[in-house]
Amino acid sequence: MNRLADTVPILDWGRRYSRATMTNDMVAAIIVTIMLIPQSLAYAMLAGLPAEVGLYASILPLVAYAVFGTSRTLAVGPVAVVSLMTASAIGEVATQGTPAYLAAAMLLAFLSGAMLMLMGLFRLGFIANFLSHPVISGFITASGLLIAAGQLKYLFGVSGGGHTLPQIIGGLVENIGSTNSATLAIGTSVLAFLYFARLRLKPMLLAIGLKPRTADIATKAGPVVAVAATILAVSAFDLGAQGVVLVGVIPQGLPIPALPVFDLELIRALAVPALLISLIGFVESVSIAQTLAAKRRQRIVLDQELIGIGAANLASAISSGYPVTGGFARSVVNFDAGAETPAAGIYTAIGIALAALFLTPLLANLPQATLAATIIVAVLSLVNFAVIRSVWTYSKVDFSTMAATILGTLFLGVEIGVVMGVVLSLLLHLYRTSRPHMAVVGQVPGTEHFRNIDRHQVETSPNILSIRVDESLYFANSRYLEDRIGTLVAERPQIQHVVLMCSAVNMIDASALDSLEEINKRLKDASIALHLSEVKGPVLDRVKRSRFLDNLTGQVFLSQYEAICHLTRSNTELG
Amino acid sequence: MNRLADTVPILDWGRRYSRATMTNDMVAAIIVTIMLIPQSLAYAMLAGLPAEVGLYASILPLVAYAVFGTSRTLAVGPVAVVSLMTASAIGEVATQGTPAYLAAAMLLAFLSGAMLMLMGLFRLGFIANFLSHPVISGFITASGLLIAAGQLKYLFGVSGGGHTLPQIIGGLVENIGSTNSATLAIGTSVLAFLYFARLRLKPMLLAIGLKPRTADIATKAGPVVAVAATILAVSAFDLGAQGVVLVGVIPQGLPIPALPVFDLELIRALAVPALLISLIGFVESVSIAQTLAAKRRQRIVLDQELIGIGAANLASAISSGYPVTGGFARSVVNFDAGAETPAAGIYTAIGIALAALFLTPLLANLPQATLAATIIVAVLSLVNFAVIRSVWTYSKVDFSTMAATILGTLFLGVEIGVVMGVVLSLLLHLYRTSRPHMAVVGQVPGTEHFRNIDRHQVETSPNILSIRVDESLYFANSRYLEDRIGTLVAERPQIQHVVLMCSAVNMIDASALDSLEEINKRLKDASIALHLSEVKGPVLDRVKRSRFLDNLTGQVFLSQYEAICHLTRSNTELG
């Protein structure tokens, strides 16, 4: 593969594209298109945007990802969590329903795309590592709950709003009296049908002889059936006149490419949300892409994925869209339906474009309650209480970051929730590594092994203190090292040698080196020699760049055994 | 020692206090008092505060530290770097010379004291670990340069201001035309004298037969001589009339204890600076205290030190003072002069109180230029270019955080400088640990040892991939692990077993556990079994709390050797 094909993967798979592959991709694309139409409309509504924006965000972004992405089967477009984050971010700077709101959504997509692109070009993908799994899964669960709660107002046909659980529930309780019964009937019917489709339809289809894969895909068509059925019901019984809120007239046609308006103050206000959307969207997308790629032993290139998702967002920004990323359900459908190359994404884009051109008039009578029910069923699969329990069992530290993220997201807002989780996990990580495990070790009799004196029957020498440090030494734990060695030495007045066993030390940074120098100096003042043992090659190479070894009062021994032999021998000679 | 004496160390050493110790402490206190008077005045001026505030901050805080601190010899009070940070923080919220400015300084000391106290009570001292050595030493060097540059205007007798190097230099260049020659003469004379005292006086005193320690202490009296001499010169030649700016009338008497005014908006504005001042002050103070304590094999208790320095700042806040911490030069003098207990601090406080009561009228004719010269000589010893070079040689990563701190401090301001350094060191730490060293290992022929196949002549089996991970597994590197193993496996189509050698893994957090589960699942999809070897006891105990081992396709082996023996044998049996 040449370098250009690394950056533009389409050049690689495109030149080997065959007719058979094309047929497979097209079949997959048709199925994904059918699934994506109601999803696009629903997620646009969730983001507080006009329904057509969802379709616009499902055309050019798919083409851009097909050109630049490395996953063969990832299906990008509007997704639930990013739509929620979009609503939260632009709800702060513009009023829903105004042109400014749409403009902010485009700018947000642009910022997010530009950030992802830059991270990809400068290989900064590691920034996504700030998001630990407990923070992400906590955030997704909380988002799912928040989204589902937020859709209830459409199901009841009442007004309401808010970006936190108390606001949403408060608004709902306040307005529940004015529930529209026709809307509620549609909403609950669709909800019941979708749950039936999800839980019971597949076994029934299998029973009548469908292949498992076909049955699986047919099951996913539930929302399309619901959309069609409720449009027909509205038209037949004129439910619009009975107060059922409908999607209404959707402009027919394709988005006119245009750059978003760059307002410096708006950019400042949207920068942090854009970064969070980029990272969350990227992390989610990559995990789907990697899971699917592994099944066929294919590779996902992380830095190139940043460029791929970034390009999709820039494409969304210039086609009146909003932030997009890889979606889980649709990618799995795409994969299962037999998509082999990103060309399937291009065919899907063509399908959505045709829908935007010709299908939109049919959607005017679609009740918002139908879309709300679709969203609720989709996002409740994001809510995963089992994960919360297993993290609780596994580690209280990880659980606390998850809990902070969930509570922060539900009660203070999505951005604060994520930031709280990230800050807390960094703090706790620092706390955890700031007190590395250190063991005073002694020799296992008759062997060359050294073990913790508190756990094993070992031999020690009265004037030698051997300490094993089970962690790399860096700024977060260097002060603890100073402090701990000071304490251990103060407790043992007869000590003349301290041996630091460095078998688990993979790195010594400048702070830790300073601390070692300080320890050496302090021990010297107390007439104690400091020795090192089992220092790894690369660590020792680096230490040799400094003057530490020149001032070291003791020696560097290859093994702890050698250290003890040497020091005991010199003791005996002196004695 | 009982628990109360842990929290109030004076109860411990106080009950064993003898007349001999008292004499030693008193001698030290007299010397420190003489040294502290000009320093207090100078640092108050540096903080933009009236001269007497420096004296006030050197009375009650010393008593508070003597009661709560754990260092026997640390001398607290106003110091250069904290004074600079104070000027920067309160310069943002009030105008120098107004009562609001002094009120803000008191509030800043209160906030800083309260934060340190809380950190001490909740054992949160590890937060100071966020400040790596390169960040701190970079910050101190930059602060030294900034302080020295800021004093030049007093030396030239011109107006000026600013909190960044460009502002300070710009102001100086603009006003240099109106230099007051009498002021400049005084300033440069004092500067020359102080440098002479610092560099040449000691050898001369030694030559005339003084003991080294006495000569050392006498050398430190340079500023007092300069103060006395310039006051006499001003009085004799009426230099005030020639435009030499003088300290002026300093109110005679002691501070009247009063709480600072608690303004919520002001608290919000000062919270971050207060936190930074607390951390920087604490880190500096502790490193001095530990160095001195080690010389006498004494112990410093970090959490108790937070309480000690916190109490000193609260005491400063209620006595019209400003933030204080342990000072390097004066602590060394205190130690060298023979101080044995914190009582020396109490005697010093009495000395300063007497000075505030009776000495202040004599100081009215003190030129500001004298104080400025004192500050310049003191802070230029903080500037350490050798450290910058050695960090550069040792590690480019550490150097980059140091450079960011220095440049940020000089050109953007002290707070931004520190924050830039901290954020960059966290980012780089995450980056560094996000790509842990991983080696594909093979068996050293004839032994049970396994080594990196790229560095040693080792034997490997064609269908077994053994990977050693040289780092704990946590959220920052778990994704890299997934990615790396995916790549290694994709490169070797004949692989049937992956053995993860965990000898250097001290911890597996929930994110890494998820990644291991994901790796296991992906390898399973590709018909590859995942095994672990040499998992440490505590790590394995924790992993057993999860369902990972239930789903693991392979086994957990005690040693890598056992793993290879077992897997090769089963191969042979299958073959």
Side-chain angles (χ1 to χ4, degrees), chain B residues 56 59-65 109 309-321:
Chain B
Y56 297 166
I59 304 171
L60 278 192
L62 278 67
V63 177
Y65 182 80
I309 304 286
N313 275 291
L314 291 180
S316 195
I318 62 164
S319 53
S320 304

Side-chain angles (χ1 to χ4, degrees), chain B residues 237-283:
Chain B
F237 307 109
D238 195 17
L239 295 178
Q242 295 183 37
V244 173
V245 182
L246 306 174
V247 166
V249 178
I250 301 177
Q252 210 171 345
L254 295 174
I256 299 148
L259 279 176
V261 181
F262 296 103
D263 178 300
L264 211 72
E265 206 179 317
L266 204 56
I267 289 176
R268 241 196 298 268
L270 294 177
V272 172
L275 181 65
L276 295 176
I277 287 174
S278 304
L279 293 178
I280 296 265
F282 173 66
V283 166

Side-chain angles (χ1 to χ4, degrees), chain A residues 60 76 108 135 152 183 192 430 539 545:
Chain A
L60 278 191
V76 301
L108 189 66
V135 167
L152 291 176
T183 306
L430 233 85
V539 175
R545 294 195 204 168

Side-chain angles (χ1 to χ4, degrees), chain A residues 33 44-45 269 445 564:
Chain A
T33 304
M45 187 173 91
I564 296 300

Side-chain angles (χ1 to χ4, degrees), chain A residues 82-143:
Chain A
V82 167
S83 299
L84 174 73
M85 294 179 83
T86 300
S88 163
I90 57 182
E92 294 286 313
V93 297
T95 313
Q96 203 174 312
T98 62
Y101 194 86
L102 178 57
M106 288 167 67
L107 184 61
L108 189 66
F110 185 89
L111 292 176
S112 169
M115 286 174 183
L116 287 164
M117 275 276 193
L118 288 175
M119 282 193 252
L121 293 173
F122 293 104
R123 304 180 173 274
L124 297 176
F126 75 95
I127 292 177
N129 292 335
F130 274 108
L131 296 165
S132 72
H133 288 214
V135 167
I136 292 174
S137 59
F139 178 67
I140 301 240
T141 285
S143 297

